[in-house]
Amino acid sequence: MAQPFPFAAIVAQEDMKKALLMAAVEPLLGGVLIFGDRGTGKSTAVRALAELLPRIETRTGCRYNCLPAEPQAACPICSPDGDGKRPPITKRRAPMIDLPLGATEDRICGALDIEKALVAGEKHFEPGLLAAANRGFLYIDEVNLLEDHLVDLLLDAAASGVNVVEREGLSIRHAARFVLVGSGNPEEGDLRPQLLDRFGLSVEVRTIEDLPQRIDVIRRRDAYETDPEAFCKSWAKRDASIGNRVVAARRILRDVEIPDHVVMRMSQLCLRLGIDGMRGELTLMRACRAAAALSGSRTVTWNDVAEIAPMVLCHRLRRDPLDDAGSTPRIERALATVDAGYGHG
Amino acid sequence: MAELGPHEAFDLALAKHGAEQWADALLAADILRWGGHRIGGIWLTARAGGVRDAFLNHLGSIIGSQDRWTRLPPGSSLSNLVGGVDIAATAALGTLVRQPGLLWRARTSLLLIPMAERLDPTLAAIVGTAMDRQADGGMCILALDESIEDDDILPISIADRLALRVDLHAVAWHHVTETSTAGAASLATLPRFAIENWTSVTINDATLTSLSALAQSSRHSSLRILRNLVQVAKILAHIDGRDTVNDTDALTALRLCLGLRLTPSSQDQPPEPDGGEPPPQAQAGEQDQPAAPTETPRAEAPPSDNTAEPAPSRLDVLTELLAAVQAGSLSGNPLLLSSERPSREKRRSGKSGSERKNARRGRPFGLGLSPPYPDARPGIVATLRAAAPWQRTRAAQRAHIAATATLTAADGLPSATVPPPAPPRAYVTRDDFRYQRLRHAAPSTAIFVVDASGSTALERLGETKGAIEHLLARCYVRRDEVALIAFRGTSADVLLPPTRSLVAAKRKLAALPGGGPTPLASGLQKGLELALAVRRRGSTPILVLLTDGSGNVALDGTPDRARAAEELTRLARLYKSNGLKTVCIDIARRPRDSVAALARALGADLHLLRQAEARGLSDLVDTSMREANR
């Protein structure tokens, strides 16, 4: 894959793009779930995002993507035994790891290197995909087809930022801070509500119905395939400006303030929608911060909240099996009542 | 076909249809050569046989011989596909030996997927991802779909990415011999996958718009499909020696990619373009204009064939096609519609894993010699333990082999003094591998949905209570659970959430009242919710519906028979699409049609229970639970 399709060139699907950028700004959001039709550019967007983000610093040969300043004990490259020399610092692209559907637990968490154990009799840890995804993205296509226990494992690591392996006589801990992005087609099976809840953001993508936009998609894709380099070059500037926005947003993220009245209305909104637990509210706050930072402002306004609320809360509502309309209208109604000042119930 | 009678026009139409299909197939093969991985590949619907072989041979003759194709063996495992470590070879050689996967081997050629309709969704998703990610020179897919009716369908994740559809069902043997050698010889000079040549072909906005509208209104709204359409149209234009796409190309592309074909539609019955059914007799060309598109495509190989025919109303043809599609009189390949795919039992993927013996998680219950699932890793301790008794003999054997080897080497080549590798610490062979087997407990939950309305059901309530108690007594042994939902008056209530507790159940049951109208829809809704919740917890729900007739109260509690019936059908469809195991028990004194109809709609087993006996009922449910768990 020499040059992924540029992020800026993706037509429409604003919700998806925004959610991905927010997750890139604030990794603590806990991942993005993209549910929707086939051929809507889900994987294209994720791959493109990794390309426009700033490159990360690490050491040559490091398989855990350690920060050069904070070598991890688990990494034999960055913290060598005795007085071994550390390899030089390099920069590489933010990792974008594809999790294949058939991946085993060993492959994800890492496990005893069975070859070395059998052949040489050595106990040696073989890092898995979680280590490789550290400081980057972990992308699961068809997350709803993934075995449940693997999803559990991934969400746990994504939430805690640490991967702990205790098996086969190994005891390893290493950082696994990554943005989890799952995509899937709801027709092929749902996710358990408990899992849904743990994805920070959830966006629904629909096939573009607008004719000019559809034509745009085809034209751009065509241009990209005819000459990827020229196409990427023509979009490089716009891509770079998005990248800069993310970098700037990361810098000011911790300074973004949420006024008290906005927090209060957020709570009212969650109460009104009957959302259990605090996770919804917390994520809403974080997401709003990220959104405000992305737009370059240092205070969160109610407009930010209204815009973000569907993607934060949609998948946390109790599902009604006969409701075809989906949960977005419910959130919009609730927003309207809170807006109008009736939200005191 | 014989019983239709020897009608001359019919025979003619049949022959013509077959010839057209075959011509299309040849054209598709040609397009694949031009398009290569850019257009994904071909979805070939045909049964195994001479015609299919002839097509494959033809394809081989133009894109490279068949023995260079990679075949994906049916039932192949994941590690087979993506590659992995060859454990046996590694253990034998003492160094890490990796084996490349099929996808790697097929990266520059063609991946043939026989019996593609049986492909595991997981594997399909991986193949799909691989198709997306290849840089250049990539592979294309030839999916052989042998499905009959729609029992199994090609996984949508692959179908979506394959541009061309070839259907050989209607092609008879004599069509094949007529045409197969026509174009092949002259094409041999062109390079394989000549992609760069056609990418400069342009397409104007009007054509693109109508293509998009057509794809959308035939409910292929995926953008991938639209992109493939455009690419195929471009290739067609290029083959014809033009550098812009015209409407003829667009029409041909639509036919090749979506199976959309305009047949004379003056007859009342809708034509079936792809079902292997011949078009109606009127094919003989009594109307010039609509018949034109079916004629035009063959302008490509012999260029002199017909140049005047499509001329009269080219623009109109696309518009007319669009109108026909929108009117619903024309549909392309029905299997492609992602929005209304027939639901089917999910096979080995997703959430259906809870009942498997060879589970990936659960309690270990023994060691096995063969991997319980394709990618299982051997248990190290058990493997080493199995290898332990043989160490001494194996070491001796190895030493003997090494000694004879050096001896023969010394005889032949005196200078071959390679130092012998250090002996491994443990000699492990393939026979020693032991696998930990896991069993995932698969409990089931019987959910009783009981009609407690004021009609005849009331007197059956006691019986039901008895049956539930009976079942609970048995469930205690099998670790199964029972839940109870009763509907009466305006709504349904979950009286007993899934439980194993006999005491709690008895207390709740004793207090169950009866009487009032029949909110059947509400009961079914609650039952569905509970069943899905139970399934999410990893248990298998079995729904037992005891009722005596149709509901007369809508979901919101209003007495509206019509709406209640409509809601009932919607709910029943949900039951079916979720694949819930349902047992429907008619408890009226006389069996009623409405209950039978409901059972059919739910996909349920229907039983009549006229005798008041709790034991019979509990036996029935018990059998169903066992069946469901098998």
Side-chain angles (χ1 to χ4, degrees):
Chain A
M1 215 51 184
Q3 289 239 299
F5 193 79
F7 191 79
I10 295 169
V11 179
Q13 313 291 16
E14 297 302 332
D15 272 4
M16 174 174 76
K17 286 194 272 190
K18 182 154 194 186
L20 286 173
L21 287 178
M22 277 158 60
V25 170
E26 168 67 294
L28 288 178
L29 270 179
V32 183
L33 180 68
I34 310 173
F35 249 24
D37 301 332
R38 298 201 161 275
T40 39
K42 288 172 291 205
S43 23
T44 312
V46 180
R47 283 182 226 297
L49 184 64
E51 182 68 24
L52 63 78
L53 290 180
R55 298 155 78 81
I56 61 167
E57 267 188 357
T58 182
R59 288 181 193 278
T60 325
C62 173
R63 298 181 65 190
Y64 297 82
N65 296 330
C66 304
L67 274 166
E70 302 168 18
Q72 300 181 60
C75 179
I77 302 279
C78 297
S79 29
D81 300 332
D83 52 350
K85 230 178 128 254
R86 289 177 190 162
I89 295 172
T90 53
K91 282 194 164 189
R92 62 171 84 146
R93 209 176 74 176
M96 155 70 211
I97 302 297
D98 256 301
L99 185 88
L101 271 185
T104 55
E105 209 176 319
D106 304 0
R107 186 80 190 90
I108 292 173
C109 293
L112 184 70
D113 190 334
I114 193 167
E115 293 82 32
K116 283 214 172 109
L118 278 180
V119 176
E122 276 173 28
K123 204 157 87 176
H124 182 90
F125 181 68
E126 170 81 19
L129 292 174
L130 289 181
N134 189 20
R135 299 167 67 197
F137 292 83
L138 188 71
Y139 176 58
I140 318 164
D141 199 6
E142 320 271 1
V143 65
N144 43 352
L145 294 182
L146 198 66
E147 297 262 349
D148 267 1
H149 67 286
L150 296 182
V151 184
D152 288 345
L153 219 146
L154 286 169
L155 284 166
D156 188 51
S160 61
V162 178
N163 178 32
V164 182
V165 181
E166 293 285 353
R167 55 192 293 180
E168 289 157 355
L170 289 165
S171 178
I172 300 270
R173 250 177 106 81
H174 66 79
R177 278 186 293 273
F178 56 88
V179 177
L180 185 69
V181 183
S183 77
N185 189 345
E187 282 168 25
E188 288 170 5
D190 247 330
L191 274 178
R192 297 204 327 263
Q194 296 92 316
L195 293 187
L196 276 177
D197 187 34
R198 298 181 69 166
F199 278 97
L201 306 174
S202 149
V203 284
E204 200 176 317
V205 285
R206 297 235 143 268
T207 296
I208 304 172
E209 304 274 336
D210 183 43
L211 210 58
Q213 286 185 350
R214 281 174 75 93
I215 291 175
D216 250 13
V217 173
I218 300 296
R219 291 254 184 248
R220 287 185 192 174
R221 189 82 215 178
D222 213 45
Y224 167 71
E225 279 185 358
T226 315
D227 189 352
E229 271 168 34
F231 185 74
C232 291
K233 203 174 273 174
S234 70
W235 286 91
K237 221 173 212 173
R238 273 167 277 194
D239 248 14
S241 87
I242 296 178
N244 291 339
R245 250 173 75 204
V246 172
V247 174
R250 276 182 183 168
R251 208 175 300 131
I252 63 169
L253 182 66
R254 301 285 157 237
D255 304 334
V256 176
E257 283 184 16
I258 309 183
D260 279 347
H261 67 275
V262 175
V263 178
M264 195 129 98
R265 283 166 94 180
M266 277 183 199
S267 309
Q268 281 170 4
L269 180 68
C270 291
L271 270 179
R272 181 154 285 268
L273 288 165
I275 288 168
D276 310 328
M278 300 295 288
R279 210 197 292 266
E281 268 171 83
L282 265 177
T283 317
L284 191 58
M285 270 171 80
R286 283 190 183 141
C288 289
R289 265 210 200 104
L294 258 182
S295 59
S297 96
R298 279 167 203 261
T299 36
V300 173
T301 62
W302 182 246
N303 284 343
D304 290 328
V305 181
E307 200 180 329
I308 301 299
M311 62 174 90
V312 180
L313 301 178
C314 243
H315 54 297
R316 299 172 202 273
L317 295 181
R318 205 170 165 280
R319 197 87 60 83
D320 181 356
L322 276 183
D323 188 4
D324 298 330
S327 29
T328 314
R330 273 167 74 192
I331 292 180
E332 277 163 5
R333 277 201 298 276
L335 272 171
T337 53
V338 175
D339 248 357
Y342 298 124
H344 303 293
Chain B
M1 289 294 158
E3 57 266 29
L4 282 173
H7 195 291
E8 203 171 305
F10 177 76
D11 282 347
L12 208 69
L14 195 64
K16 194 166 172 211
H17 184 65
E20 269 168 21
Q21 296 279 24
W22 181 248
D24 277 356
L26 296 185
L27 182 57
D30 201 24
I31 290 173
L32 183 69
R33 190 178 54 97
W34 286 96
H37 66 273
R38 282 290 187 82
I39 56 168
I42 297 184
W43 174 358
L44 179 65
T45 319
R47 309 289 297 280
V51 176
R52 195 179 82 179
D53 291 345
F55 178 72
L56 293 182
N57 282 335
H58 174 75
L59 199 61
S61 73
I62 60 174
I63 67 165
S65 68
Q66 279 200 46
D67 25 287
R68 287 185 42 216
W69 299 358
T70 313
R71 269 182 96 90
L72 182 67
S76 92
S77 76
L78 191 89
S79 57
N80 207 343
L81 200 64
V82 295
V85 175
D86 189 337
I87 291 184
T90 302
L93 284 177
T95 52
L96 195 64
V97 181
R98 289 191 182 276
Q99 59 187 135
L102 279 175
L103 283 178
W104 188 83
R105 269 187 271 158
R107 71 201 180 284
T108 54
S109 64
L110 187 138
L111 181 69
L112 182 76
I113 310 181
M115 289 189 269
E117 78 279 5
R118 308 263 311 149
L119 192 65
D120 187 274
T122 310
L123 294 188
I126 288 168
V127 173
T129 320
M131 287 169 76
D132 275 358
R133 301 208 63 184
Q134 51 198 330
D136 37 20
M139 74 176 170
C140 43
I141 304 279
L142 180 59
L144 302 185
D145 181 356
E146 299 171 17
S147 58
I148 313 169
E149 309 282 292
D150 47 2
D151 47 353
D152 273 322
I153 55 170
L154 189 65
I156 230 61
S157 50
I158 287 190
D160 201 34
R161 289 178 167 92
L162 301 182
L164 299 163
R165 258 107 224 157
V166 174
D167 186 347
L168 297 181
H169 276 138
V171 179
W173 183 241
H174 62 271
H175 301 128
V176 174
T177 44
E178 272 168 25
T179 38
S180 65
T181 50
S186 64
L187 295 166
T189 50
L190 282 162
R192 198 171 64 96
F193 294 161
I195 290 160
E196 274 61 44
N197 295 326
W198 56 266
T199 43
S200 57
V201 176
T202 55
I203 179 166
N204 63 13
D205 274 344
T207 317
L208 192 51
T209 311
S210 37
L211 269 182
S212 171
L214 264 162
Q216 230 176 328
S217 54
S218 61
R219 305 180 57 197
H220 302 290
S221 56
S222 166
L223 281 163
R224 263 193 211 115
I225 289 179
L226 180 57
R227 208 182 103 223
N228 285 336
L229 266 175
V230 172
Q231 306 221 12
V232 170
K234 283 185 171 185
I235 294 172
L236 283 166
H238 182 76
I239 291 177
D240 230 12
R242 278 174 279 112
D243 54 1
T244 43
V245 173
N246 67 14
D247 289 346
T248 318
D249 303 326
L251 269 179
T252 316
L254 279 168
R255 198 182 66 234
L256 290 175
C257 297
L258 303 183
L260 282 179
R261 146 198 333 253
L262 199 60
T263 41
S265 52
S266 55
Q267 276 75 22
D268 274 342
Q269 76 268 40
E272 294 197 4
D274 244 356
E277 202 75 32
Q281 282 96 318
Q283 182 81 32
E286 52 195 63
Q287 303 149 314
D288 276 344
Q289 201 247 13
T294 54
E295 297 285 329
T296 45
R298 256 162 301 114
E300 41 42 89
S304 64
D305 197 26
N306 41 10
T307 44
E309 260 195 48
S313 55
R314 269 195 191 163
L315 247 184
D316 283 8
V317 174
L318 274 181
T319 326
E320 191 183 329
L321 192 58
L322 178 60
V325 168
Q326 278 168 344
S329 65
L330 190 62
S331 64
N333 190 335
L335 298 184
L336 248 188
L337 304 181
S338 58
S339 51
E340 52 172 37
R341 283 182 308 134
S343 85
R344 54 187 165 147
E345 284 294 303
K346 284 193 196 65
R347 292 193 303 268
R348 301 226 9 226
S349 69
K351 310 296 169 299
S352 58
S354 56
E355 292 123 56
R356 271 185 277 138
K357 271 242 180 60
N358 291 332
R360 284 165 192 257
R361 59 185 171 139
R363 256 180 300 162
F365 74 97
L367 292 170
L369 290 173
S370 59
Y373 51 93
D375 303 311
R377 304 186 69 160
I380 292 176
V381 176
T383 301
L384 289 178
R385 195 174 289 142
W390 305 100
Q391 292 309 305
R392 191 168 287 193
T393 45
R394 279 180 191 160
Q397 235 173 11
R398 195 63 71 87
H400 179 69
I401 290 168
T404 50
T406 46
L407 209 64
T408 49
D411 284 349
L413 296 162
S415 62
T417 50
V418 186
R425 296 187 196 176
Y427 297 99
V428 179
T429 67
R430 185 184 268 276
D431 300 340
D432 300 327
F433 290 155
R434 295 289 185 275
Y435 298 87
Q436 185 70 60
R437 302 179 76 95
L438 300 175
R439 178 169 44 195
H440 189 66
S444 48
T445 305
I447 302 170
F448 286 86
V449 181
V450 182
D451 189 346
S453 64
S455 47
T456 47
L458 192 50
E459 59 202 76
R460 292 300 180 100
L461 210 53
E463 217 170 285
T464 315
K465 290 180 186 177
I468 292 172
E469 282 179 22
H470 259 291
L471 268 177
L472 274 173
R474 297 185 191 186
C475 287
Y476 184 73
V477 182
R478 281 214 321 263
R479 298 184 157 264
D480 289 341
E481 294 183 331
V482 168
L484 174 67
I485 295 170
F487 53 94
R488 58 180 282 269
T490 55
S491 65
D493 295 305
V494 180
L495 285 181
L496 195 64
T499 181
R500 268 178 226 147
S501 155
L502 205 53
V503 184
K506 271 185 176 163
R507 240 177 246 154
K508 280 277 168 78
L509 284 172
L512 172 60
T518 320
L520 181 53
S522 181
L524 282 180
Q525 188 189 8
K526 279 267 158 56
L528 180 67
E529 278 172 15
L530 189 59
L532 293 182
V534 162
R535 182 183 281 177
R536 277 197 294 269
R537 282 197 335 222
S539 172
T540 312
I542 291 132
L543 210 108
V544 185
L545 174 68
L546 296 104
T547 184
D548 68 335
S550 52
N552 50 18
V553 176
L555 279 181
D556 54 1
T558 48
D560 183 342
R561 228 170 240 283
R563 218 167 76 222
E566 184 200 324
E567 283 164 358
L568 216 57
T569 42
R570 270 171 74 196
L571 276 164
R573 210 179 305 140
L574 276 175
Y575 269 78
K576 228 177 185 173
S577 68
N578 278 301
L580 287 175
K581 166 97 181 154
T582 314
V583 181
C584 192
I585 298 173
D586 189 349
I587 50 173
R589 288 193 186 282
R590 288 162 200 278
R592 292 196 186 175
D593 283 347
S594 58
V595 182
L598 179 65
R600 259 200 310 280
L602 288 168
D605 302 336
L606 178 65
H607 295 284
L608 306 175
L609 202 71
R610 263 168 285 170
Q611 288 301 319
E613 52 159 349
R615 180 165 286 277
L617 184 56
S618 92
D619 278 345
L620 206 73
V621 176
D622 197 50
T623 325
S624 298
M625 285 172 97
R626 279 166 203 275
E627 269 173 14
N629 261 349
R630 203 166 295 148

